Amino acid sequence: MSKSILIASYYRSGTSALSGALTLSGVDMVNSAERNEHNPRGYFENPALARIDLEFFWALGHQWHDVRLMPDRWHERPDVSVFTHRILEEVKKHHADSPAWAVKHPHLCRLLPIYAEVAERVGGEKPGVIHIYRDPWAVARSQSRKNGLSRSHALLLWASYVLDAERDSRPFRRVVLNYETLLKEPAASLGRIGQALDIEFPKRSVQDRAEITRFLTPQLRRSKPQQRESTPPFIRELIDEVWHACVSGAAPEVFDGLRSRFDGLGLLLDELGSSNLYVTAALGRAVPAATNGPTASAPGERQGSPLRPAERTDIAARRT
């Protein structure tokens, strides 16, 4: 039996800072994605798992940057088992003998059901889930600088990841953290995690706590919130409501109501994308992919690549 943690949070939300603190507390994590100027202390990610995830999205007719929510009952499809097995073998390779371990990648927001199944098969009990949230307007600025996403795209993508992760984590022990609180109160934040997830961290000495405090420096807070005024009002209002639900610990029915509204946006995008004429430069037509996969040449064809997209432009990304 081992304790497992799944960090299911959106890009640029403080997941790497949290992962570093957990690692210094004795939780086993893979950290083979090379650090760079965006994450100078490491990503604490397994590129092999990220690659499987992206191929999985492709098989589902989805991509990591698709703002639509995941299809209903996607994890019940018969072809899911192939990807579950591949993820299981990769996780076992690194964590089969770990007393306490964690997996972190934003894809877990959308693929939580299969990762939870894998964690239970490896650890012998259900995993705990951590959601760490950060002001979405700061996240949007960070992603704009790092990935080239427009503000509205980054904001809507953030909301879709958050809504998928919140719904799929309900069967598990879970804890919600604010990134700013983690940086200001690391010891108290880790205490909350241990209590909520019933985990006793292997490293708890004064020296360990001091090292964690040094790791979580204020310099990790590098992105200020973007300007809100020029964002379309219907997007701004929806994002604000999702953010308020996160920080206030809203009841599941509140999130369900937000999901219903977001589903309406997905239907709109599907209809616009099926038009015989291009709606915008990037909706309803092929956009050249950064990798060697197939590209669609006509409206309605799926565009992109099953390989790793231009999610990261650093050296570590090009090596995966």
Side-chain angles (χ1 to χ4, degrees):
M1 300 282 284
S2 64
K3 293 288 186 178
S4 60
I5 299 172
L6 301 178
I7 301 173
S9 299
Y10 185 67
Y11 301 89
R12 317 308 297 159
S13 293
T15 54
S16 296
L18 171 62
S19 298
L22 289 173
T23 300
L24 292 172
S25 300
V27 177
D28 186 28
M29 295 189 72
V30 174
N31 188 22
S32 55
E34 186 175 307
R35 66 186 67 189
N36 61 18
E37 70 277 14
H38 299 292
N39 275 45
R41 308 213 168 180
Y43 280 87
F44 299 90
E45 291 177 6
N46 183 339
L49 287 177
R51 184 182 179 88
I52 297 171
D53 295 346
L54 292 166
E55 292 177 9
F56 193 1
F57 286 141
W58 180 261
L60 292 171
H62 224 66
Q63 294 202 45
W64 74 272
H65 46 80
D66 193 331
V67 301
R68 297 171 302 170
L69 298 170
M70 287 290 281
D72 286 340
R73 306 172 73 89
W74 62 265
H75 51 283
E76 297 178 7
R77 287 175 38 154
D79 54 342
V80 166
S81 61
V82 175
F83 293 95
T84 303
H85 178 73
R86 290 175 62 189
I87 292 170
L88 174 64
E89 291 305 304
E90 181 64 24
V91 171
K92 283 170 60 178
K93 182 166 66 177
H94 295 281
H95 302 301
D97 300 319
S98 303
W101 54 276
V103 173
K104 166 253 176 179
H105 200 283
H107 298 160
L108 268 65
C109 291
R110 292 185 153 169
L111 302 179
L112 191 57
I114 59 170
Y115 270 90
E117 178 186 338
V118 165
E120 187 168 2
R121 290 170 67 177
V122 173
E125 61 180 62
K126 286 186 176 182
V129 178
I130 303 177
H131 301 302
I132 182 167
Y133 295 133
R134 184 184 181 190
D135 185 327
W137 302 91
V139 168
R141 178 182 288 276
S142 182
Q143 270 213 303
S144 176
R145 186 170 60 242
K146 180 174 181 290
N147 300 109
L149 270 63
S150 70
R151 177 175 49 201
S152 291
H153 187 180
L155 289 168
L156 291 172
L157 198 60
W158 170 85
S160 70
Y161 271 57
V162 166
L163 292 172
D164 275 335
E166 188 283 329
R167 181 193 63 180
D168 290 336
S169 65
R170 292 177 191 176
F172 307 101
R173 289 178 179 267
R174 60 182 181 176
V175 60
V176 176
L177 293 178
N178 185 297
Y179 179 49
E180 296 295 329
T181 303
L182 174 67
L183 295 183
K184 293 176 183 176
E185 304 171 0
S189 297
L190 289 168
R192 282 189 56 212
I193 292 172
Q195 183 175 17
L197 305 187
D198 190 26
I199 292 177
E200 186 171 337
F201 295 118
K203 296 182 179 180
R204 298 185 301 164
S205 69
V206 173
Q207 292 82 357
D208 296 328
R209 291 197 296 271
E211 190 174 1
I212 292 168
T213 300
R214 287 192 296 271
F215 179 85
L216 295 174
T217 63
Q219 284 70 34
L220 295 176
R221 191 189 296 109
R222 293 192 300 267
S223 290
K224 297 180 180 179
Q226 280 191 334
Q227 294 295 320
R228 302 158 52 94
E229 289 71 19
S230 59
T231 306
F234 77 94
I235 293 179
R236 186 169 64 237
E237 291 167 8
L238 179 59
I239 297 305
D240 283 346
E241 289 188 46
V242 176
W243 176 234
H244 177 72
C246 293
V247 298
S248 65
E253 52 266 28
V254 173
F255 283 99
D256 288 341
L258 292 167
R259 284 187 66 87
S260 296
R261 290 170 57 188
F262 214 88
D263 274 332
L265 175 64
L267 292 172
L268 172 62
L269 292 174
D270 282 340
E271 184 172 344
L272 290 174
S274 66
S275 177
N276 284 332
L277 297 177
Y278 302 148
V279 181
T280 73
L283 183 63
R285 77 172 178 93
V287 177
T291 45
N292 299 324
T295 352
S297 57
E301 290 186 83
R302 176 63 57 178
Q303 61 85 22
S305 165
L307 302 179
R308 189 180 186 93
E311 173 195 352
R312 294 218 320 265
T313 55
D314 55 71
I315 294 173
R318 294 196 292 272
R319 288 178 178 171
T320 60

